[in-house]
């Protein structure tokens, strides 16, 4: 029987380049710090990794490691996740597009800023590339696992947000409010937006996120103060191995160096919702107040109507009362949120008004509340629409003022030169001592009744347009009504509607007596 042939096994091919790469990676892993989160940082990691939220907003004090945590979140998406700290669904299997972006302030995106500094510190060397692509900072990143993204700074226009769909976005510090829509529009295939922010100058941005949450957006907010970041007294992680990043002495020294006007944000992580607002003194708990419109107090009011018309869209109409004790009260508005099915600012440029002037005039007369005894003293509207060849409602000859006059409503025109100065006047009337109890000796001069939701929202949210010294358009219509009213009111004083007829009778009687004497 022949002996079986002996075949030699093929020799393994030794790849020196692969071996060298693996050695270098091992050295890199050994020399790189091991990330161990604090309890506060886990409060950011866990909701992100859960997959339950579309936005994770970490709005915290300084020095708690927000940027560090965000960069490690991306690391554990891009490469193998550390099961000790990142054993959550999105880290185990990323279901969204691999492309994304980082947004940051110019300072934070710089080559020596916290974003790139943390990338260099935590991401595995040799497994990603970063290029400047014509920018003064590293603006493009890609990994050996197929992830890629760009880095945008807030000085760039929001048109830069257009482009490929994204599955992840990291914002280091709040984005301009006008960017929110552009960022969210990139998530049509799903994704998560993580925002690591110290809450300074972010009032309008937070309002915008609040609107998204009200409409059903799944947003998780993490807040923390610097005292929770103590090595000895801070919040521990789930394995009880780490509490914080700073000693008690370091925290004390840091707190001592923070300016008083920034302490709430930098020490306590409290957002300054008033930053960027035109009327930061407006307080929902103080300026929104109910009044009995059927009571004797209201029957002594001097009432006025102010209108900000538009060519195709709904006008903004507001009713003001001047009270015997020199208060100014918004007691009605039209259209209402109930009528529109949304806030006025949300549909101001999209909802066509199909009502005729005749119908609107009828609405105005109903909202005057003259039928319950309120005394109308006058009406005014935007001078741009009141006079001249307005072309309103298809009419190319009569002014809007004349159109409403034919329907029984006389609108006067406020002095144009006075309208521009009313912003400061309104600010003065809104003022009160915020550090003292509100009472008859310490109260504002402007109030808004609770059902006037569009007016309340306008006063609470009107802000400066980004990078410009003018009001942003979104909330200005009902504010414009207020400015027309005060410009029209001018130096008029309160007139008691109860005693006015008697004064007129006396004046007429005196006139008759003078005529009688002269006739002799």
């Amino acid at each position: 029987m022949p002996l079986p042939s002996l075949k030699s096994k093929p020799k393994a091919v030794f790849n020196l380049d692969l071996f060298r790469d693996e050695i270098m990676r091992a050295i890199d892993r050994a020399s790189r710090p091991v990330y161990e989160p604090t309890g506060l940082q886990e409060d950011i990691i866990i909701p992100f990794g859960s997959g339950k939220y579309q936005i994770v907003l970490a709005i915290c004090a300084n020095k708690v490691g927000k940027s560090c945590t965000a960069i490690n979140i991306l690391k554990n998406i891009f490469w193998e996740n550390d099961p000790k700290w990142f054993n959550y669904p999105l880290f185990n299997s990323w279901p969204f597009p691999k492309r994304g972006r980082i947004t940051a302030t110019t300072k934070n995106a710089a080559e020596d800023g916290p974003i790139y500094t943390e990338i260099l510190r935590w991401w595995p060397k040799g497994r990603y590339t970063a290029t400047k692509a014509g920018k003064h900072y590293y603006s493009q990143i890609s990994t050996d696992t197929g992830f890629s993204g760009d880095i945008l700074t807030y000085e760039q226009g929001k048109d830069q947000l257009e482009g490929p769909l994204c599955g992840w976005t990291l914002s280091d510090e709040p984005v301009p409010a006008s960017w929110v829509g552009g960022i969210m529009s990139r998530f049509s295939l799903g994704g998560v937006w993580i925002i690591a922010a110290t809450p300074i100058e972010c009032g309008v941005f937070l309002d915008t996120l609040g609107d998204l949450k009200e409409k059903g957006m799944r947003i998780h907010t993490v807040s923390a103060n610097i005292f929770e970041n103590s090595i000895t007294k801070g919040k521990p992680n789930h394995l009880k191995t780490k509490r914080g990043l700073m000693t008690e002495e370091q925290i004390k020294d840091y707190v001592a160096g923070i300016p008083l006007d920034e302490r709430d944000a930098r020490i306590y992580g409290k957002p300054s919702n008033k930053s960027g607002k035109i009327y930061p003194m407006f307080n929902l708990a103080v300026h929104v107040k109910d009044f009995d419109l059927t009571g004797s107090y209201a029957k002594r009011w001097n009432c006025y109507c102010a209108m900000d018309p538009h060519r195709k869209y709904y006008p903004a109409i507001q009713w003001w009362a001047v009270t015997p004790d020199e208060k100014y009260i918004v007691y009605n508005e039209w259209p209402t949120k109930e009528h529109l099915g949304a806030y006025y600012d949300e549909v101001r440029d999209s909802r066509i008004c199909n009502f005729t002037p005749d119908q609107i005039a009828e609405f105005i007369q109903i909202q005057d509340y003259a039928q319950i005894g309120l005394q109308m003293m006058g009406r005014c509207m935007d001078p741009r629409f009141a006079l001249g060849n307005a072309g309103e409602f298809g009419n190319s000859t009569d002014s809007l003022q004349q159109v409403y006059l034919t329907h029984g409503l006389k609108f006067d025109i406020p002095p144009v030169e006075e309208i521009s100065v009313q912003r400061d006047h309104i600010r003065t009337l809104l003022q009160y001592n915020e550090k003292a109890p509100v009472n008859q000796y310490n109260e504002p001069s402007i109030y808004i009744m609770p059902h006037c939701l569009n007016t309340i929202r306008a006063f609470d949210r009107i802000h400066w347009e980004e990078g410009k010294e003018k009001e942003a358009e979104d909330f200005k219509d009902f504010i414009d009504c207020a400015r027309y009213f005060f410009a029209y009111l001018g130096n008029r004083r309160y007139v008691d509607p109860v005693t006015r007829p008697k004064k007129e009778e006396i004046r007429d009687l005196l006139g008759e007596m003078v005529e009688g004497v002269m006739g002799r």
Side-chain angles (χ1 to χ4, degrees), residues 80-106:
E80 300 83 3
N81 63 305
D82 180 350
K84 191 174 183 180
W85 308 113
F86 293 88
N87 190 21
Y88 303 102
L90 292 191
F91 298 115
N92 292 326
S93 178
W94 183 250
F96 306 126
K98 289 187 172 184
R99 183 174 178 83
R101 65 169 31 113
I102 297 173
T103 71
T105 63
T106 302

Side-chain angles (χ1 to χ4, degrees), residues 172-189:
D172 194 69
E173 301 304 347
V175 304
S178 60
W179 282 34
V180 174
I183 289 175
M184 294 308 299
S185 70
R186 301 295 89 201
F187 285 147
S188 60
L189 295 180

